[in-house]
Amino acid sequence: MRPPSLPRIPASEITDEAVYRDRRRLLGMLAASPVLGLAGCAEAEPPPPPRARTSTAQARAGFSTDEEPTRYEDATTYNNFYEFGTNKDDPSRAPRTLRTSPWSVLVDGECARPGTIGLEDLLRGIAVEERIYRLRCVEGWSMVIPWNGVPLADVLRRFEPTSKAKYVAFTTLADPRQMPGIRYRSIDWPYREGLRIDEAMHPLALLATGLYGKPLPQQNGAPLRLVVPWKYGFKSIKSIVAIRFTERMPKTAWNELQPSEYGFFANVNPAVDHPRWSQKTERRIAGTKSRLFAARIPTQPFNGYAEQVAALYAGMDLRKWY
Ligand SMILES: Nc1nc2c(c(=O)[nH]1)N[C@H]1C(S)=C(S)[C@@H](COP(=O)(O)O)O[C@H]1N2
Ligand SMILES: [Mo]
């Protein structure tokens, strides 16, 4: 029986806990039987993006939401960063072992100016902006986080991608001495993500260096992480050490692990449920009340950024390309 002093945990929270425990258990199952992970085998390439591009002139103002932000404390203690463990509080409780300075990023592939570049040089001359974005995790919870960062497009253009650059692949550091979670073969390290080039060049896509006006803490992906607010959170890869322009769709960590559950595109879509749970609603962790009492709210197509990004997917079947 539950001791009377403990608060009752709302059903919404239980569902959410169950979901991420389930997601984590999947990793254990897959690790035990490597064959399962290959179940989804090679898919056909998706159709090319539509010609009509979202114009860069589209106002950058108005990108930030005025919804109630998440507390700094919640955004920095309730994290997914499996390199530091699979519990939500593992990344923030882990010793500060990640060496974030000096930090360099290898940029290569289909571009005219490949090379390894220090973080300061990578960002030099690009104004840091604040963007208050919704972050929707595939597990069914969300936050509103004020990020500081630079448009991804401004950084990518420095390397002069060629006409063969159809995708951009990103890689996280995978150093067992700096990241205690790496010794568990949960994910096939290093964590990898990718975007189609037009997605990467979209003005909403941000390379974040900070949140709430402070440098990124280790648990949020210091010193450099992606933020793609219209996609499920797993696309927003942390602690990036490599960026590659590719002609083919790159392999990505969660998609490789379970392709039927985690698509390459992973656009937030309340109409397409995860095979094991609904995506129609989300638990919004925001404001001053405990996250145990977070409100359940409807999930919006493209996480509320449809006006800005829906054109990128014109003519694409979003049920097929989830
Ligand atoms: N390298 C790496 N990047 C990652 C993850 C991870 O485990 N490893 N988790 C992803 C997931 S599932 C989410 S929801 C977001 C969470 O970002 P936050 O902890 O800053 O809120 O980071 C994403 N980026
Ligand atoms: Mo996530």
Side-chain angles (χ1 to χ4, degrees):
M1 236 179 69
R2 181 192 302 280
S5 58
L6 286 183
R8 277 187 63 84
I9 299 171
S12 59
E13 171 73 6
I14 289 165
T15 313
D16 210 54
E17 291 279 319
V19 157
Y20 93 73
R21 284 185 200 291
D22 202 41
R23 190 184 183 201
R24 196 175 53 181
R25 204 184 50 220
L26 166 77
L27 300 178
M29 278 159 38
L30 292 172
S33 81
V35 195
L36 245 181
L38 302 171
C41 67
E43 284 223 31
E45 285 282 314
R51 285 201 164 263
R53 300 291 170 91
T54 318
S55 87
T56 323
Q58 197 177 41
R60 280 184 183 184
F63 278 179
S64 287
T65 173
D66 57 6
E67 286 159 71
E68 188 176 31
T70 300
R71 284 187 299 186
Y72 178 83
E73 189 200 321
D74 287 322
T76 57
T77 59
Y78 189 82
N79 299 103
N80 274 332
F81 198 174
Y82 280 22
E83 288 85 338
F84 290 93
T86 54
N87 287 308
K88 290 287 180 283
D89 58 354
D90 284 342
S92 57
R93 297 175 100 112
R96 312 279 99 177
T97 44
L98 187 67
R99 288 191 310 272
T100 56
S101 177
W103 188 272
S104 56
V105 180
L106 166 67
V107 184
D108 67 0
E110 302 293 348
C111 64
R113 304 173 65 84
T116 299
I117 183 167
L119 185 59
E120 296 72 25
D121 291 329
L122 185 76
L123 304 175
R124 197 180 305 285
I126 308 176
V128 172
E129 302 176 27
E130 182 189 67
R131 303 274 183 88
I132 306 171
Y133 282 161
R134 291 175 286 274
L135 174 83
R136 169 60 156 86
C137 177
V138 73
E139 295 163 358
W141 53 267
S142 65
M143 295 187 180
V144 173
I145 301 180
W147 301 103
N148 310 100
V150 299
L152 175 62
D154 290 353
V155 169
L156 295 183
R157 276 194 208 98
R158 304 205 136 158
F159 301 91
E160 300 176 15
T162 69
S163 60
K164 280 187 170 173
K166 304 268 169 39
Y167 294 90
V168 190
F170 302 86
T171 308
T172 295
L173 179 73
D175 180 354
R177 286 162 306 169
Q178 299 184 59
M179 300 166 138
I182 295 280
R183 61 201 157 100
Y184 305 105
R185 290 273 324 225
S186 50
I187 279 171
D188 185 13
W189 313 111
Y191 194 102
R192 287 147 293 128
E193 259 310 332
L195 296 171
R196 210 171 56 189
I197 190 81
D198 58 332
E199 299 178 316
M201 292 298 184
H202 192 281
L204 274 175
L206 194 71
L207 267 181
T209 53
L211 40 68
Y212 301 81
K214 304 178 212 268
L216 277 182
Q218 174 174 289
Q219 61 268 33
N220 294 90
L224 186 72
R225 61 90 55 88
L226 191 61
V227 183
V228 195
W230 70 96
K231 293 179 180 284
Y232 290 119
F234 67 86
K235 299 295 290 183
S236 293
I237 182 172
K238 296 176 169 181
S239 305
I240 297 167
V241 292
I243 300 177
R244 171 172 287 175
F245 298 98
T246 66
E247 192 166 13
R248 293 309 212 81
M249 182 186 275
K251 290 210 188 312
T252 55
W254 277 102
N255 178 252
E256 229 173 28
L257 201 59
Q258 197 57 308
S260 63
E261 301 187 7
Y262 308 101
F264 174 84
F265 287 94
N267 293 312
V268 174
N269 190 347
V272 176
D273 286 339
H274 186 279
R276 292 178 292 131
W277 58 84
S278 165
Q279 295 292 27
K280 288 186 183 63
T281 63
E282 64 204 53
R283 223 165 39 79
R284 170 60 56 84
I285 301 168
T288 51
K289 57 184 182 306
S290 158
R291 57 176 186 78
L292 293 184
F293 302 101
R296 194 163 274 285
I297 59 171
T299 289
Q300 303 178 68
F302 299 104
N303 201 22
Y305 302 97
E307 200 185 316
Q308 290 92 348
V309 302
L312 297 175
Y313 310 100
M316 250 172 94
D317 180 354
L318 297 176
R319 289 188 170 274
K320 181 167 184 225
W321 302 107
Y322 52 87

